[in-house]
Amino acid sequence: LASFRPTFPWAAPKFGVLVGGGGTQMLRWVLGLFLFCLGSACYALLGILSQLSKSPDGSYGYSLPSVVLLAEFTKLCISLCFLTAESGSISQALKDVLGTSVRTWLAFAFPSALYSLNNNLDMLNNQHMDPATEQVLVQAKI
Protein backbone atom coordinates (compact mmCIF):
# COMPACT_ATOMS: atom_id res chain seq x y z
CA LEU A 1 0.00 0.00 0.00
CA ALA A 2 2.96 2.33 0.43
CA SER A 3 3.28 2.62 -3.36
CA PHE A 4 -0.46 3.28 -3.87
CA ARG A 5 -1.05 6.70 -5.39
CA PRO A 6 -4.63 7.53 -6.32
CA THR A 7 -5.16 9.30 -9.62
CA PHE A 8 -7.88 11.78 -10.22
CA PRO A 9 -9.18 12.54 -13.72
CA TRP A 10 -9.22 16.26 -13.02
CA ALA A 11 -5.60 16.35 -11.83
CA ALA A 12 -3.12 17.84 -14.29
CA PRO A 13 -0.61 15.34 -15.68
CA LYS A 14 2.95 15.60 -14.39
CA PHE A 15 5.55 17.32 -16.57
CA GLY A 16 7.64 14.14 -16.87
CA VAL A 17 4.67 12.26 -18.30
CA LEU A 18 4.19 14.96 -20.92
CA VAL A 19 7.83 14.98 -21.98
CA GLY A 20 8.04 11.18 -21.99
CA GLY A 21 5.44 10.74 -24.71
CA GLY A 22 2.25 11.08 -22.67
CA GLY A 23 0.70 13.39 -25.24
CA THR A 24 -2.52 11.38 -25.24
CA GLN A 25 -2.91 11.95 -21.51
CA MET A 26 -2.31 15.67 -21.97
CA LEU A 27 -4.81 15.82 -24.83
CA ARG A 28 -7.45 14.09 -22.69
CA TRP A 29 -6.76 16.48 -19.82
CA VAL A 30 -7.00 19.58 -22.06
CA LEU A 31 -10.18 18.25 -23.70
CA GLY A 32 -11.71 17.54 -20.29
CA LEU A 33 -10.80 21.03 -19.07
CA PHE A 34 -12.26 22.58 -22.22
CA LEU A 35 -15.51 20.64 -21.92
CA PHE A 36 -15.78 21.54 -18.23
CA CYS A 37 -15.34 25.25 -19.02
CA LEU A 38 -17.80 25.04 -21.91
CA GLY A 39 -20.40 23.31 -19.75
CA SER A 40 -19.94 25.83 -16.96
CA ALA A 41 -20.32 28.74 -19.37
CA CYS A 42 -23.47 27.22 -20.92
CA TYR A 43 -25.00 26.64 -17.49
CA ALA A 44 -24.14 30.17 -16.37
CA LEU A 45 -25.66 31.69 -19.52
CA LEU A 46 -28.84 29.59 -19.45
CA GLY A 47 -30.91 32.07 -17.47
CA ILE A 48 -29.65 35.09 -19.40
CA LEU A 49 -30.15 33.53 -22.83
CA SER A 50 -33.62 32.29 -21.93
CA GLN A 51 -34.59 35.80 -20.83
CA LEU A 52 -33.24 37.24 -24.05
CA SER A 53 -35.29 34.77 -26.11
CA LYS A 54 -38.60 35.86 -24.56
CA SER A 55 -41.20 37.73 -26.53
CA PRO A 56 -42.23 41.17 -25.28
CA ASP A 57 -45.35 39.64 -23.70
CA GLY A 58 -43.20 37.22 -21.62
CA SER A 59 -43.90 34.07 -23.61
CA TYR A 60 -41.52 31.88 -25.56
CA GLY A 61 -41.75 31.17 -29.27
CA TYR A 62 -40.73 27.55 -28.69
CA SER A 63 -41.73 24.61 -26.54
CA LEU A 64 -39.87 24.53 -23.21
CA PRO A 65 -39.92 20.70 -22.88
CA SER A 66 -38.45 20.43 -26.38
CA VAL A 67 -35.45 22.48 -25.19
CA VAL A 68 -34.82 19.96 -22.41
CA LEU A 69 -35.28 17.04 -24.82
CA LEU A 70 -32.87 18.55 -27.35
CA ALA A 71 -30.25 19.23 -24.65
CA GLU A 72 -30.47 15.66 -23.34
CA PHE A 73 -30.31 14.21 -26.86
CA THR A 74 -27.19 16.29 -27.56
CA LYS A 75 -25.56 14.97 -24.38
CA LEU A 76 -26.47 11.42 -25.42
CA CYS A 77 -24.83 11.89 -28.82
CA ILE A 78 -21.67 13.34 -27.26
CA SER A 79 -21.52 10.46 -24.77
CA LEU A 80 -21.89 7.92 -27.57
CA CYS A 81 -19.06 9.62 -29.47
CA PHE A 82 -16.80 9.33 -26.42
CA LEU A 83 -17.82 5.70 -25.90
CA THR A 84 -17.10 4.96 -29.57
CA ALA A 85 -13.66 6.56 -29.26
CA GLU A 86 -12.95 4.55 -26.11
CA SER A 87 -14.27 1.26 -27.53
CA GLY A 88 -12.58 1.62 -30.88
CA SER A 89 -15.64 1.21 -33.10
CA ILE A 90 -19.30 2.12 -33.22
CA SER A 91 -20.32 -1.54 -33.31
CA GLN A 92 -18.39 -2.29 -30.12
CA ALA A 93 -19.88 0.79 -28.44
CA LEU A 94 -23.40 -0.35 -29.36
CA LYS A 95 -22.62 -3.86 -28.08
CA ASP A 96 -21.47 -2.33 -24.78
CA VAL A 97 -24.66 -0.30 -24.47
CA LEU A 98 -27.05 -3.06 -25.54
CA GLY A 99 -25.20 -5.61 -23.41
CA THR A 100 -26.00 -3.70 -20.23
CA SER A 101 -28.33 -5.60 -17.92
CA VAL A 102 -31.95 -4.59 -17.44
CA ARG A 103 -31.25 -4.21 -13.73
CA THR A 104 -28.66 -1.52 -14.48
CA TRP A 105 -31.07 0.29 -16.82
CA LEU A 106 -33.76 0.24 -14.13
CA ALA A 107 -31.31 1.50 -11.50
CA PHE A 108 -30.80 4.64 -13.59
CA ALA A 109 -34.45 5.11 -14.62
CA PHE A 110 -35.75 6.76 -11.43
CA PRO A 111 -32.94 9.32 -11.03
CA SER A 112 -33.22 10.07 -14.74
CA ALA A 113 -36.93 10.79 -14.41
CA LEU A 114 -36.27 13.11 -11.46
CA TYR A 115 -33.52 14.87 -13.43
CA SER A 116 -35.88 15.38 -16.36
CA LEU A 117 -38.59 16.76 -14.06
CA ASN A 118 -36.06 19.12 -12.46
CA ASN A 119 -34.90 20.41 -15.86
CA ASN A 120 -38.48 21.04 -16.98
CA LEU A 121 -39.20 22.90 -13.74
CA ASP A 122 -36.06 24.99 -14.27
CA MET A 123 -37.35 26.02 -17.68
CA LEU A 124 -40.71 26.89 -16.14
CA ASN A 125 -38.94 28.97 -13.48
CA ASN A 126 -37.10 30.84 -16.21
CA GLN A 127 -40.45 31.85 -17.66
CA HIS A 128 -41.63 33.52 -14.44
CA MET A 129 -38.45 34.77 -12.72
CA ASP A 130 -35.52 36.98 -13.52
CA PRO A 131 -32.19 35.14 -13.98
CA ALA A 132 -30.65 36.20 -10.66
CA THR A 133 -33.61 35.09 -8.55
CA GLU A 134 -33.90 31.83 -10.46
CA GLN A 135 -30.19 31.02 -9.94
CA VAL A 136 -30.46 31.70 -6.20
CA LEU A 137 -33.51 29.43 -6.00
CA VAL A 138 -31.85 26.65 -7.99
CA GLN A 139 -28.61 26.81 -6.01
CA ALA A 140 -30.49 26.84 -2.69
CA LYS A 141 -32.22 23.58 -3.74
CA ILE A 142 -35.56 24.61 -2.24
Side-chain angles (χ1 to χ4, degrees), residues 80-137:
L80 286 174
C81 288
F82 282 132
L83 182 61
T84 300
E86 187 176 304
S87 299
S89 69
I90 187 74
S91 61
Q92 183 60 42
L94 290 174
K95 284 179 190 175
D96 291 343
V97 170
L98 297 175
T100 305
S101 69
V102 174
R103 183 178 177 142
T104 303
W105 284 98
L106 291 176
F108 285 97
F110 183 68
S112 298
L114 291 178
Y115 182 73
S116 176
L117 177 66
N118 183 52
N119 285 343
N120 280 297
L121 289 174
D122 280 347
M123 291 303 291
L124 189 62
N125 282 342
N126 282 332
Q127 191 173 12
H128 299 288
M129 294 182 180
D130 62 292
T133 306
E134 200 266 335
Q135 280 297 320
V136 169
L137 177 69

Side-chain angles (χ1 to χ4, degrees), residues 11-14 17-18 21-30:
K14 296 192 182 322
V17 171
L18 299 179
T24 303
Q25 184 180 1
M26 180 62 170
L27 180 64
R28 291 181 80 174
W29 184 79
V30 169

Side-chain angles (χ1 to χ4, degrees), residues 9-10 26-40:
W10 58 85
M26 180 62 170
L27 180 64
R28 291 181 80 174
W29 184 79
V30 169
L31 181 62
L33 180 65
F34 171 74
L35 290 175
F36 173 77
C37 292
L38 180 65
S40 297

